[in-house]
């Protein structure tokens, strides 16, 4: 199981298909949110004081509600759904991974493919950074080279500092797999070798690079806008 804390995350998870096993909350939260949990007999409800919540919380400032949630079972059949898919390689920062999940949710991308050495999606920092989007985005850990080779109908684009295509001008395939690399080292040579195209965000100032999650947001926004995907 994994821990999820806070009213926004609790609301999204309790409304989703994720299975909540234990709910710890203050009397105030329980009184205001009875509709979220009363119809689910599988949830063990625990009323706690503010002091008790601060002792079990992993946050600097404890929230009014904490959930213990079952991790979804991993699937052996990896299939890409939708027009745009995102894959991340060796993203090590839990906050970055959580923010990328949130970006996927914002742009209607319901799957995120992660290399097996990425940060743990169920790390408490990752869960918090998703701000509830973990309830709606399917996270799949898999071999990215195998994913690309299996889904040839999706043209793969690697985000690099000096890509061949400019995201502001490029016309992208109607089925696109966008690959985002490690925060410090970018995309591995093994993966670049089998990628169809490299793509970049034009730089106008002197910054050396962009944060991985910010780059993801810029690229996906342009993919949607320039190519009319999902519009």
């Amino acid at each position: 199981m994994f821990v999820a804390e806070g009213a926004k995350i609790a609301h999204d998870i309790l409304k989703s298909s994720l299975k909540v096993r234990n709910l710890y909350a203050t009397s105030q939260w329980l009184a205001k949110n009875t509709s979220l949990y009363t119809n689910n007999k599988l949830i063990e409800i625990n009323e706690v004081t503010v002091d008790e919540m601060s002792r079990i919380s992993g946050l600097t400032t404890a929230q009014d509600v904490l959930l213990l949630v079952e991790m979804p079972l991993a699937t052996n059949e990896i299939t890409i759904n939708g027009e745009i898919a995102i894959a991340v390689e060796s993203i090590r920062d839990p906050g970055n991974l959580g923010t990328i999940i949130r970006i996927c949710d914002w742009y209607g991308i319901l799957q995120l493919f992660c290399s097996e050495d990425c940060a743990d999606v169920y790390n408490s920092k990752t869960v918090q950074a998703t701000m509830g989007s973990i309830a709606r985005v399917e996270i799949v850990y898999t071999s990215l080279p195998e994913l690309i080779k299996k889904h040839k109908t999706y043209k793969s684009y690697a985000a690099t500092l000096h890509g061949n295509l400019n995201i502001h001008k490029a016309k992208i395939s109607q089925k696109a797999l966008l690959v985002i690399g490690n925060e410090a080292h970018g995309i591995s040579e093994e993966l670049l070798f089998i990628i169809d195209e490299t793509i970049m965000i034009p730089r106008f100032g002197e910054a050396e690079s962009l944060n991985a999650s910010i780059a993801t947001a810029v690229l996906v926004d342009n993919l949607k806008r320039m190519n009319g995907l999902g519009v």
Side-chain angles (χ1 to χ4, degrees), residues 85-123:
I86 296 179
V88 290
E89 183 186 34
S90 305
I91 295 294
R92 303 296 172 83
D93 182 84
N96 269 342
L97 181 59
T99 303
I100 291 171
I101 294 168
R102 192 175 174 187
I103 290 164
C104 287
D105 189 23
W106 178 266
Y107 285 102
I109 298 168
L110 302 182
Q111 290 175 300
L112 177 66
F113 298 93
C114 302
S115 64
E116 291 159 349
D117 60 346
C118 278
D120 181 7
V121 66
Y122 301 114
N123 179 299

Side-chain angles (χ1 to χ4, degrees), residues 157-200:
Y157 298 87
T160 67
L161 286 175
H162 307 289
N164 294 326
L165 300 178
N166 180 335
I167 188 60
H168 291 169
K169 300 176 181 178
K171 187 67 178 176
I172 303 300
S173 169
Q174 283 295 308
K175 286 191 172 183
L177 175 62
L178 175 63
V179 183
I180 305 294
N182 174 265
E183 294 93 340
H185 305 294
I187 296 169
S188 67
E189 290 297 325
E190 176 192 11
L191 206 53
L192 282 174
F193 184 74
I194 60 172
I195 290 286
D196 293 316
E197 294 278 3
T198 57
I199 195 163
M200 62 88 172

Side-chain angles (χ1 to χ4, degrees), residues 3-231:
V3 175
E5 299 188 59
K8 174 67 170 67
I9 294 174
H11 177 275
D12 288 354
I13 288 178
L14 288 164
K15 287 283 191 181
S16 76
S17 61
L18 291 173
K19 294 179 181 179
V20 178
R21 289 305 182 201
N22 298 77
L23 186 156
Y24 299 86
T26 60
S27 58
Q28 292 90 339
W29 188 93
L30 290 170
K32 290 179 181 178
N33 296 279
T34 53
S35 63
L36 288 177
Y37 61 84
T38 50
N39 293 329
N40 193 331
K41 304 302 182 185
L42 296 177
I43 303 177
E44 180 184 309
I45 309 298
N46 303 274
E47 182 177 326
V48 295
T49 66
V50 173
D51 180 61
E52 287 170 330
M53 184 62 82
S54 68
R55 286 156 57 194
I56 65 173
S57 174
L59 302 177
T60 303
T61 302
Q63 304 295 302
D64 288 335
V65 58
L66 180 150
L67 307 178
L68 288 181
V69 189
E70 283 190 14
M71 297 178 184
L73 294 175
T75 178
N76 292 323
E77 185 61 35
I78 308 300
T79 304
I80 299 178
N81 300 311
E83 296 166 326
I84 298 176
I86 296 179
V88 290
E89 183 186 34
S90 305
I91 295 294
R92 303 296 172 83
D93 182 84
N96 269 342
L97 181 59
T99 303
I100 291 171
I101 294 168
R102 192 175 174 187
I103 290 164
C104 287
D105 189 23
W106 178 266
Y107 285 102
I109 298 168
L110 302 182
Q111 290 175 300
L112 177 66
F113 298 93
C114 302
S115 64
E116 291 159 349
D117 60 346
C118 278
D120 181 7
V121 66
Y122 301 114
N123 179 299
S124 60
K125 291 181 180 179
T126 310
V127 174
Q128 289 303 123
T130 72
M131 290 299 292
S133 293
I134 193 172
R136 289 178 292 273
V137 179
E138 180 187 9
I139 315 302
V140 181
Y141 285 82
T142 188
S143 163
L144 298 189
E146 289 181 15
L147 178 75
I148 291 169
K149 291 173 183 176
K150 181 180 177 182
H151 295 86
K152 290 295 186 181
T153 56
Y154 282 78
K155 193 167 183 178
S156 55
Y157 298 87
T160 67
L161 286 175
H162 307 289
N164 294 326
L165 300 178
N166 180 335
I167 188 60
H168 291 169
K169 300 176 181 178
K171 187 67 178 176
I172 303 300
S173 169
Q174 283 295 308
K175 286 191 172 183
L177 175 62
L178 175 63
V179 183
I180 305 294
N182 174 265
E183 294 93 340
H185 305 294
I187 296 169
S188 67
E189 290 297 325
E190 176 192 11
L191 206 53
L192 282 174
F193 184 74
I194 60 172
I195 290 286
D196 293 316
E197 294 278 3
T198 57
I199 195 163
M200 62 88 172
I201 301 167
R203 176 170 56 184
F204 300 96
E206 298 300 323
E208 184 178 278
S209 63
L210 283 174
N211 171 279
S213 57
I214 291 174
T216 303
V218 172
L219 289 163
V220 175
D221 188 79
N222 278 277
L223 285 175
K224 290 281 189 176
R225 182 169 55 86
M226 294 287 289
N227 298 277
L229 296 178
V231 177

